[in-house]
Amino acid sequence: MATVVRKKIVKEAGQPVDELEEQVAQALFDLEATNSELKADLRDLYIAGAKEVDVSSSRKAIMIQVPYRLLKSFHKVQQRLVRELEKKFSGRDVVIVGVRRIVPPPRKGSRVQRPRSRTLTSVHEAWLEDLVYPTEIVGKRMRHRVDGSRVLKVLLDPKDRNSAEPRTESFSGVYKKLTGQEVVFEFPVNE
């Protein structure tokens, strides 16, 4: 049984699997075995890692990292999968994020160009998109405070307000853990 669950989590060579990752992999395996509507979709999917993030004193979130090439497949079932996982891990929000790599800028004189998708900025923007999926980002503002700190204001699509608003605190906490940047999620008012 344990070897079957291990197929639901594939880590980079030599990295041990911790207890939370084992629990998430077990939950995915259980969903595949018991939930008939998710069974076919979950058969070929696996995760690359999971971390628990303290969002506030009373709230925690589970950030599930999935391989980039499986991210589209996860997006197809993300709403149902997140709902089922949040039932299993009660009291914790579940967020799915793709594994992305940031490549440092090329050295002077180097002929090797790094892809645009591996720059720090594009990886941070992609993580932001992953966090709020399926809600769309309709605008971004960078606010510079008087003390020199910066806050990114992200405007989300108002039609998804009911489903996304309770989770905005978790989105902010996970983004801060991933990037070290503060972010505030808002919904624009339609007039």
Side-chain angles (χ1 to χ4, degrees), residues 74-76 78 128-135 167 171:
F74 268 99
H75 282 334
K76 289 177 187 170
Q78 182 162 342
L128 197 57
E129 293 279 341
D130 291 350
L131 279 175
V132 299
Y133 186 86
T135 305
R167 305 177 70 208
F171 295 158

Side-chain angles (χ1 to χ4, degrees), residues 76-93:
K76 289 177 187 170
V77 294
Q78 182 162 342
Q79 286 181 305
R80 290 178 288 166
L81 181 63
V82 166
R83 189 174 37 237
E84 294 295 326
L85 288 173
E86 284 178 349
K87 285 180 195 172
K88 287 199 185 264
F89 300 107
S90 60
R92 296 186 268 186
D93 290 329

Side-chain angles (χ1 to χ4, degrees), residues 53-55 61 63 95 97 100 102 120-132 137 140 142 150-154 167-185:
V53 179
D54 291 326
V55 177
M63 176 180 62
V95 177
V97 177
R100 299 172 191 274
I102 299 170
L120 180 102
T121 306
S122 69
V123 168
H124 286 191
E125 286 177 5
W127 276 335
L128 197 57
E129 293 279 341
D130 291 350
L131 279 175
V132 299
I137 295 173
K140 290 183 207 165
M142 181 63 76
R150 298 185 311 178
V151 176
L152 179 65
K153 283 189 174 182
V154 177
R167 305 177 70 208
T168 56
E169 188 180 4
S170 297
F171 295 158
S172 297
V174 171
Y175 190 74
K176 175 114 173 122
K177 172 86 172 170
L178 282 170
T179 64
Q181 297 176 356
E182 284 188 47
V183 66
V184 176
F185 293 95

